[in-house]
Amino acid sequence: MAHIIAASPQGPRASDYIEGEVLAQEDNLVLLCLVCHKIIDSEDSAYPPELLHGWKRLHSSRISDAFDARPLSDRVEARGAIERYLQSNRATFDGFGPNSETAGDPFSDAAEIWKVRVREVIIPNNRMILRIVDANSTLLRPDEVVTVERFRIHVEEFERRHVFDMPSTAVPQFPIGMNELLCEGII
């Protein structure tokens, strides 16, 4: 983590005009690898604050474009956007989940694969599904809003169990209505 404008008066890109609290805020911080941090701080005149702020804005924009959901034009497009995430989760659950064919096999590594896939596939997919649906909530019918809220509860409790290792005896099951969400008709 590097300061864009130095936190100390003698540091790179230091400024007498900015107060200490401002220098410690997120807007004045940038994440860099160790090598880039060293280069940027040793050649500070080649890397003015405006350039570093620009890099940060560009990077933030790229991340936002990659991970944020956007409003879509209709129910068909919205269903298409969530379909691949639902299919990926289904394949993972069927292949390695607690009800899979290999789950009861003491010689299978399905339980370990399940733990990894929950964190690397299912949880990120669930969050992306929620982002897409939330960005397109105006396309949902009233009954689908209820299904999405049930899914949200399922997601939160599932994460509580699998990420935070909090005992949860009642993780609500995946609401079957999610399989038909945005599939039929118009609002």
Side-chain angles (χ1 to χ4, degrees), residues 2-8 12-15 18 23 28 49 52-53:
H3 287 93
I4 294 174
I5 299 171
S8 69
R13 297 168 303 281
S15 172
I18 299 176
L23 296 173
N28 190 45
L52 299 180
H53 280 294

Side-chain angles (χ1 to χ4, degrees), residues 10-152:
Q10 295 79 29
R13 297 168 303 281
S15 172
D16 295 331
Y17 306 105
I18 299 176
E19 295 182 24
E21 302 105 35
V22 174
L23 296 173
Q25 291 179 354
E26 181 183 339
D27 287 346
N28 190 45
L29 299 174
V30 64
L31 295 175
L32 301 168
C33 72
L34 216 51
V35 173
C36 290
H37 190 162
K38 177 71 174 159
I39 291 169
I40 286 170
D41 279 357
S42 17
E43 301 174 26
D44 61 316
S45 62
Y47 300 96
E50 298 78 26
L51 176 65
L52 299 180
H53 280 294
W55 286 355
K56 184 173 179 173
R57 277 191 303 277
L58 178 62
H59 182 71
S60 293
S61 175
R62 287 180 180 155
I63 295 296
S64 179
D65 289 348
F67 293 106
D68 284 351
R70 59 184 171 76
L72 301 167
S73 61
D74 57 33
R75 291 174 58 82
V76 172
E77 190 179 8
R79 177 60 193 190
I82 66 170
E83 182 67 27
R84 72 181 184 110
Y85 299 106
L86 289 168
Q87 288 177 357
S88 174
N89 284 0
R90 171 52 68 187
T92 297
F93 182 81
D94 289 347
F96 308 104
N99 300 331
S100 67
E101 289 180 17
T102 56
D105 181 353
F107 299 107
S108 169
D109 57 354
E112 290 306 311
I113 294 172
W114 170 247
K115 287 179 185 177
V116 170
R117 301 277 300 172
V118 159
R119 290 175 185 232
E120 293 180 359
V121 176
I122 291 182
I123 289 173
N125 284 355
N126 284 346
R127 286 295 169 181
M128 183 54 99
I129 291 166
L130 284 174
R131 283 193 296 275
I132 292 167
V133 171
D134 288 344
N136 293 281
S137 61
T138 59
L139 300 174
L140 298 173
R141 296 185 316 251
D143 62 306
E144 291 175 322
V145 172
V146 172
T147 299
V148 168
E149 291 313 310
R150 288 183 180 144
F151 177 66
R152 190 180 314 279

